[in-house]
Amino acid sequence: THKGDSDTAVYYDVRLEKYVMYQRLLRESRRMICRIETEDFRHWSNETIIPVFSAGLEEGLATDVYLSSYTQYPELPDYHLMFPTFYNRYTQESKIKLLSSIEGIHWKEVPGGPVIEPEKDGWDSAWITCSKNLVPMDGSRIGIIYYGTPYPHKYPRWNHVRAELTKAAWACWEKDRLCAVSADEDGGFCT
């Protein structure tokens, strides 16, 4: 549909009876997440590209949403989530935030800041990114694999350097405790 050089997530939306794809889109010199849908998996159209999420001004103009890491909550296909990589072009570092959507079209950042951040002086101290597919673990936990290096993203990308430096780990949460709503005063919410 367009030149997309990274993370592509595709699923069949039973409610819409369409295939849905999330890809990276470059608009106004910033990377963002777009959505494309089709009834025929073999034919995708530029006309259906919809930008669905970009970094806000509070992130600074050097921050892009680099990868979507789209997933659904395990066993609940109507719970659309993303663990996007927020990439700072100046520092070459990243962090992972959590986005949520009711129908997979309108996305909001879940409050509370990043859900995965680089560890200071750790194996993942500069660049991190998330896989797709949040999965059930041992019955009481859920998790997603993330990758990291102690070097900035644009560090030399020779194959032997990447193989030696990139490591993976699980980011885990207690089942049904990925995020929470708290009220300092009286309050209520609906799901």
Side-chain angles (χ1 to χ4, degrees):
T1 58
H2 70 283
K3 183 180 178 182
D5 66 345
S6 69
D7 185 53
T8 298
V10 179
Y11 72 97
Y12 184 75
D13 189 308
V14 178
R15 184 178 50 81
L16 293 176
E17 297 182 346
K18 292 182 180 182
Y19 294 95
V20 176
M21 177 190 305
Y22 294 102
Q23 260 190 336
R24 182 162 75 192
L25 179 67
L26 184 65
R27 286 242 173 115
E28 294 136 16
S29 299
R30 294 189 79 188
R31 296 172 181 102
M32 60 188 67
I33 306 300
C34 70
R35 175 189 166 98
I36 309 160
E37 54 182 58
T38 185
E39 293 178 359
D40 178 358
F41 187 81
R42 289 186 171 87
H43 298 96
W44 298 81
S45 169
N46 284 343
E47 296 170 9
T48 64
I49 295 175
I50 303 168
V52 293
F53 192 82
S54 62
L57 294 177
E58 70 281 358
E59 290 289 338
L61 296 177
T63 300
D64 291 335
V65 182
Y66 207 68
L67 304 170
S68 74
S69 298
Y70 170 82
T71 186
Q72 296 166 345
Y73 195 89
E75 302 171 5
L76 297 170
D78 288 334
Y79 285 57
H80 303 273
L81 303 170
M82 286 188 195
F83 288 85
T85 302
F86 280 65
Y87 168 57
N88 185 303
R89 292 187 309 273
Y90 292 145
T91 65
Q92 299 291 308
E93 296 175 341
S94 63
K95 58 190 171 189
I96 309 297
K97 293 193 173 189
L98 175 61
L99 306 182
S100 176
S101 175
I102 295 171
E103 74 300 282
I105 299 171
H106 302 94
W107 291 87
K108 296 286 184 184
E109 183 179 330
V110 174
V115 292
I116 309 171
E117 292 185 272
E119 290 288 329
K120 185 179 180 182
D121 301 323
W123 60 268
D124 59 349
S125 59
W127 170 256
I128 59 172
T129 189
C130 232
S131 68
K132 294 182 269 296
N133 300 324
L134 185 65
V135 297
M137 303 288 283
D138 58 8
S140 64
R141 297 181 309 150
I142 56 172
I144 194 164
I145 294 175
Y146 79 99
Y147 305 90
T149 74
Y151 297 98
H153 180 49
K154 300 298 183 179
Y155 191 77
R157 295 180 179 185
W158 303 304
N159 287 337
H160 73 281
V161 172
R162 280 203 305 210
E164 292 171 20
L165 300 177
T166 303
K167 296 184 179 172
W170 284 97
C172 299
W173 296 268
E174 189 178 332
K175 187 177 180 185
D176 301 329
R177 297 291 184 260
L178 186 56
C179 60
V181 175
S182 64
D184 295 331
E185 300 171 2
D186 289 342
F189 70 96
C190 299
T191 62

